Amino acid sequence: MFTIGDFARHGRVSVRMLRHYDATGLLRPAHVDPATGYRHYTAAQLARLNRVIALKDLGFTLQQVRDIVDEKVGAEELRGMLRLRRAELETAVAAAEARLVQVEARLRAIESEGRMPANDVVIKTVPAVRVAELTATAASFQPEDIGPVIGPLYDELFRQLRSAGVTPTGPGVAHYEDAPEGGGRITVHAAVQVSAPLQDGAFRVVDLPALDHAATIVHRGSMDTVLPTAQTLARWIDAGGYRSTGYPREVSLECPENRADWVTELQAPVIRA
């Protein structure tokens, strides 16, 4: 027989771990000296220990390992457990690969700009939201064309909401789409979150759909100066292995009187390229 120390060395585990396996019933010693309490193991128990280690390395819990080595799990159930574990590992690998792409993008940014990017991009899920909105058409998606359109739209929207007795319940959410007439023209939606019935009157109340994956970045300052932030977001999307599926939404988080202090989140819908 082996002492617990010798058995631990042969099994390449710690004595503390063997004591834990004993306490949980996963691997009990073959003999415990009643006088000293010393544990002793047989060489045959190394096979069970090796199986325990192998199953733990696959990511199974100790309870799952115990059920497997005690043959409480049938072949079909074990196949199901292994398939589930494979799916979990594939998800973890995909997440790690996505992080690796982001690390490489950061490295390229540092190499090209000589410093860490000041604006961080985060992928997140954006829930559906109900908004009241007015729409108009801009000549292009450039800030100099959007600004003169969306400002008056919001002024008129808030005037109509006051007249209708509708109080906004959240921030403004400007969103955009290509205009039906084409030619680079943009349909501008000046919207704000509300809690009101759907309607299609002087102003529309609609539900903006959720975005399963949105690349988001925070812009600080007037929307007249948003272009560098939008370009940073676009570069990140391309370098991160994503593809944009629409124009970014603009969520007005803070809109004090001084436009230089505005805080706006850009939310670009994306999918894996």
Side-chain angles (χ1 to χ4, degrees), residues 107-272:
L107 284 172
R108 286 195 295 271
I110 292 172
E111 290 166 359
S112 63
E113 301 176 16
R115 59 182 177 82
M116 191 75 164
N119 289 333
D120 288 311
V121 177
V122 176
I123 295 290
K124 60 177 151 181
T125 299
V126 176
V129 61
R130 178 161 295 187
V131 297
E133 67 175 25
L134 291 177
T135 63
T137 302
S140 78
F141 194 58
Q142 296 301 314
E144 59 268 23
D145 290 325
I146 295 294
V149 173
I150 200 166
L153 266 184
Y154 266 118
D155 291 341
E156 178 61 18
L157 175 63
F158 287 126
R159 187 192 68 76
Q160 291 192 20
L161 290 176
R162 285 193 299 270
S163 297
V166 176
T167 302
T169 58
V173 186
H175 58 108
Y176 309 89
E177 59 187 335
D178 291 326
E181 59 266 32
R185 298 174 70 80
I186 299 294
T187 300
V188 178
H189 299 259
V192 64
Q193 292 184 29
V194 296
S195 177
L198 298 174
Q199 72 169 58
D200 193 4
F203 56 85
R204 298 177 64 220
V205 177
V206 299
D207 289 330
L208 286 184
L211 301 177
D212 292 335
H213 298 91
T216 65
I217 190 171
V218 174
H219 171 70
R220 293 173 173 82
S222 168
M223 292 303 290
D224 293 336
T225 64
V226 75
L227 190 56
T229 305
Q231 291 173 341
T232 297
L233 178 61
R235 287 194 299 268
W236 187 96
I237 291 171
D238 182 63
Y242 290 91
R243 179 170 62 83
S244 177
T245 60
Y247 295 100
R249 295 178 184 176
E250 298 166 356
V251 180
S252 302
L253 302 179
E254 294 181 13
C255 294
E257 186 173 348
N258 185 354
R259 295 192 173 197
D261 295 328
W262 282 9
V263 179
T264 308
E265 183 178 69
L266 307 186
Q267 301 173 341
V270 295
I271 59 173
R272 275 288 178 189

Side-chain angles (χ1 to χ4, degrees), residues 52-60 85:
V52 167
I53 294 171
L55 291 169
K56 276 191 62 186
D57 285 345
L58 292 177
F60 288 120
R85 187 65 189 135

Side-chain angles (χ1 to χ4, degrees), residues 5-39:
D6 289 338
F7 192 71
R9 282 191 292 274
H10 282 290
R12 304 297 176 89
V13 296
S14 67
V15 169
R16 179 175 174 273
M17 186 59 69
L18 286 177
R19 291 195 180 108
H20 179 61
Y21 290 167
D22 181 14
T24 59
L26 185 58
L27 180 59
R28 297 199 182 280
H31 174 71
V32 178
D33 189 312
T36 63
Y38 291 166
R39 297 171 175 87

Side-chain angles (χ1 to χ4, degrees), residues 56-74:
K56 276 191 62 186
D57 285 345
L58 292 177
F60 288 120
T61 67
L62 285 184
Q63 183 59 54
Q64 289 173 323
V65 170
R66 182 177 177 179
D67 290 343
I68 294 170
V69 297
D70 287 344
E71 298 183 348
K72 295 180 180 178
V73 176

